[in-house]
Amino acid sequence: MSVQPGWYRDPADPSTQRYWDGEGWIGSPLPADAVPPSGPPPPETIAQAPPTVGPPSAVAQAGTPPAAQAGTPPATRAGTPPGPYVGAPPPGTPGGWPPGYALPPPRPHGLPLAPLGARLVARLIDIAILLLLNAAVNGWFVVQWVREISPIFAEAWRRSLAGDRSTEGLPQPDPQTDYLPLAIVLIIAALWLAYEVPALANSGQTIGKRLAGVKVVPLSNEQQLGFGRALRRWNTLGLPVFLWYCFGLGLVLQLVDCGYALVDRPLRQALHDKRALTVVVQVPRQSLRPTTPPSDQHSKTPGGSE
């Protein structure tokens, strides 16, 4: 299957565009942002067009330019991603990419996708931080709830060991105990929201993501996520917290949400990323070397004084 004739981004020089006639590149290149002619370039520019070098596998015989081989997809130089587009076939290509036409990995905003291992490490660090926050803020409610229900479980366990399955005479908890699980869950959700949403809205990174070298960015542009988008992203993952006590249904939903990144292609988005139109990328490590000379080094004057 050959690519349909038309103007495409030149894979050998992404800053230009050239005309593909169905068999090879013809005509002189134009700037990528220029409006090309409705058809092929004028004949005088075709004679001046240099051939585009292709990979060794694209050359049928020695001395034959790749542009003269029928049925060959747009050729690329060695080491150049084999195609002018990422994630979608060229316009007018029937049936998608030609067979064997490999797609380069996506690089949103020029950054590589974050490895799944780094994303897991970032999430585990954030969970550890949230556990510490909950121990400080939510600890009293958890202790009160355990004190209320522990006599019930202890008596039920003693009866089960003795073969007694009756429930009569079991200790009764205080009526206010019924509100403790709801209070605990509310505090967990509030702490999680306060920890994650403002950080992602401003910088795209929580403490865990910063330490793991990953960042959440929008798909559409390189601006900050903003509070609205960060909140939508958190809602999909955070609101199932209120279903934790429904036989663990909330935890199952959260695992499915995060696990979706294992099978999603090509951007490896979790369900909360898809809802917020975000993607997680890897950011370069900042150099720890000083970029300015030490402060104690001063230039000397011609007279020898500092």
Side-chain angles (χ1 to χ4, degrees), residues 31-98:
D33 56 353
V35 178
S38 58
E44 60 271 13
T45 64
I46 297 179
Q48 302 173 0
T52 301
V53 181
S57 60
V59 180
Q61 57 184 2
T64 302
Q69 302 172 25
T72 303
T76 61
R77 295 175 179 169
T80 303
Y85 299 93
V86 176
T93 304
W97 290 102

Side-chain angles (χ1 to χ4, degrees), residues 159-209:
R159 292 187 183 187
S160 64
L161 294 178
D164 184 4
R165 298 184 179 181
S166 65
T167 58
E168 297 181 359
L170 286 176
Q172 297 298 318
D174 190 288
Q176 295 182 353
T177 305
D178 297 337
Y179 299 100
L180 285 176
L182 179 59
I184 293 171
V185 170
L186 282 173
I187 294 175
I188 291 174
L191 289 176
W192 187 0
L193 186 148
Y195 169 79
E196 182 164 318
V197 171
L200 293 185
N202 293 325
S203 64
Q205 291 179 302
T206 58
I207 296 177
K209 287 178 172 56

Side-chain angles (χ1 to χ4, degrees), residues 185 239-251 253:
V185 170
L239 289 183
V241 167
F242 296 101
L243 299 177
W244 279 0
Y245 54 85
C246 296
F247 305 99
L249 177 60
L251 182 59
L253 293 176

